């Protein structure tokens, strides 16, 4: 193979991908069979199979048991707005983000909180010792009933323990967000750090979010600070094929 030349399976995958993108192979159309690919492109069965695997890994096609491989419906990505601004009391950050994205007030969420020992990675992010008690809260966020986002939050009980905001979703400030809840116990959140990465979704994540094995998710690692001390950290998991993160940054 000459320098810079694509392997045969990538060349075949590229041509099939182009047909999918330009509509020659519309959604729900059966992908050409392995034998057809072999004949049309003059390649071996192995090359044809590897090309199909590439398209499946990219989420462009899906296998249907006993039927073949079909072009998947391609969702139009929707925006999830992120902003340093927080709304007045009584409006949750999730509702604010939906409003900025034009989703109205269709958002709902489920949550479950429990006390746990901090795992080493979470302890490092919070600046505490591994095993120290934290309140872990798991969320499933929905838009119009459709699962759109997962979140797992950890708060040190040295900060919130035995206070009215120990349980994030209960009490008079339940669901109001970290900034407002911390303010209620005289802690002023003055900084937030968000790091965005991507990885294949875990099986349990994709089962909840409605993805298929191999789908990529965005993972937003967020930590709130008050005078340099971490008071909450969370991992937010979002399907990369259905959503985009949009950041609103102030220039002041």
């Amino acid at each position: 193979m000459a320098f810079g030349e694509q392997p045969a399976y990538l060349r075949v995958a590229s041509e099939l991908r182009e047909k999918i993108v330009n509509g020659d192979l519309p959604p729900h159309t059966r992908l050409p069979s392995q034998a057809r690919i072999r004949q049309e492109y003059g390649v071996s069965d192995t090359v044809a199979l590897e090309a199909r695997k590439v398209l499946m890994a990219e989420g462009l096609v899906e296998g249907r048991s006993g039927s073949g491989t079909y072009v998947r419906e391609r969702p139009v990505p929707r925006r999830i707005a992120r902003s340093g601004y927080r709304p007045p009391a009584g409006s949750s950050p999730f509702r604010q983000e939906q409003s900025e994205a034009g989703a109205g007030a269709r958002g709902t969420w489920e949550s479950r909180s429990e006390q746990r020992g901090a795992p080493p990675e979470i302890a490092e992010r919070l600046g505490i010792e591994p095993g120290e008690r934290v309140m872990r809260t798991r969320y499933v966020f929905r838009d119009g009933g459709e699962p759109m986002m997962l979140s797992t939050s950890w708060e040190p009980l040295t900060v919130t323990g035995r206070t009215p905001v120990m349980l994030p979703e209960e009490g008079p400030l339940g669901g109001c967000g970290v900034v407002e809840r911390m303010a209620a116990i005289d802690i002023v959140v003055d900084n937030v750090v968000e790091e965005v990465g991507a990885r294949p979704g875990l099986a349990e994540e994709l089962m909840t979010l409605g993805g298929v094995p191999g789908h990529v998710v965005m993972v937003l690692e967020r930590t709130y600070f008050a005078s340099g001390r971490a008071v909450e950290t969370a991992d937010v998991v979002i399907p990369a094929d259905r959503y985009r993160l949009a950041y609103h940054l102030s220039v002041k």
Side-chain angles (χ1 to χ4, degrees):
M1 182 174 66
F3 178 76
E5 183 181 342
Q6 277 191 323
Y9 76 96
L10 289 180
R11 175 176 54 81
V12 174
S14 178
E15 293 192 24
L16 290 171
R17 184 190 304 111
E18 185 176 350
K19 291 182 178 181
I20 292 172
V21 171
N22 67 23
D24 289 342
L25 288 173
H28 311 296
T29 299
R30 185 174 178 176
L31 197 70
S33 67
Q34 191 166 310
R36 173 83 175 274
I37 293 174
R38 185 188 65 220
Q39 295 170 0
E40 184 174 343
Y41 295 95
V43 296
S44 66
D45 281 333
T46 300
V47 168
L49 177 60
E50 290 302 314
R52 289 156 65 94
K53 286 182 179 179
V54 168
L55 297 177
M56 292 187 74
E58 293 176 351
L60 294 173
V61 300
E62 61 185 355
R64 299 180 186 174
S65 180
S67 179
T69 304
Y70 291 79
V71 177
R72 292 184 64 242
E73 188 81 43
R74 299 177 66 204
V76 177
R78 295 163 58 186
R79 293 171 60 250
I80 296 178
R82 307 292 298 170
S83 174
Y85 166 75
R86 281 295 174 257
S91 179
S92 76
F94 176 54
R95 286 286 172 86
Q96 177 218 359
E97 289 161 4
Q98 281 209 316
S99 177
E100 290 184 8
R106 299 181 300 169
T108 59
W109 64 89
E110 307 158 13
S111 66
R112 184 177 75 253
S113 296
E114 58 183 345
Q115 295 188 31
R116 286 291 186 94
E121 179 186 349
I122 299 305
E124 182 178 357
R125 284 159 56 174
L126 290 172
I128 61 178
E129 291 296 320
E132 280 194 34
R133 304 302 287 175
V134 295
M135 184 65 70
R136 186 187 73 180
T137 305
R138 288 183 165 172
Y139 297 87
V140 179
F141 294 93
R142 303 178 187 275
D143 176 25
E146 175 187 331
M148 62 174 291
M149 185 165 60
L150 307 176
S151 177
T152 304
S153 164
W154 297 267
E155 295 180 353
L157 287 174
T158 53
V159 174
T160 61
R162 299 185 180 183
T163 73
V165 300
M166 184 174 75
L167 292 169
E169 295 297 321
E170 296 184 19
L173 293 176
C176 284
V178 175
V179 175
E180 188 173 355
R181 288 175 48 249
M182 292 298 164
I185 56 174
D186 298 322
I187 293 175
V188 178
V189 173
D190 53 19
N191 192 24
V192 58
V193 175
E194 292 189 350
E195 297 183 10
V196 182
R199 59 167 170 76
L202 304 178
E204 57 268 30
E205 293 170 342
L206 295 175
M207 184 178 299
T208 302
L209 292 170
V212 299
H215 271 195
V216 172
V217 296
M218 292 180 286
V219 181
L220 188 155
E221 181 184 301
R222 181 198 67 207
T223 305
Y224 283 101
F225 295 89
S227 299
R229 180 186 187 184
V231 296
E232 189 258 16
T233 193
D235 286 333
V236 181
V237 178
I238 305 164
D241 63 332
R242 303 206 306 267
Y243 294 93
R244 295 289 184 268
L245 291 174
Y247 280 84
H248 295 187
L249 304 176
S250 174
V251 296
K252 294 181 180 180

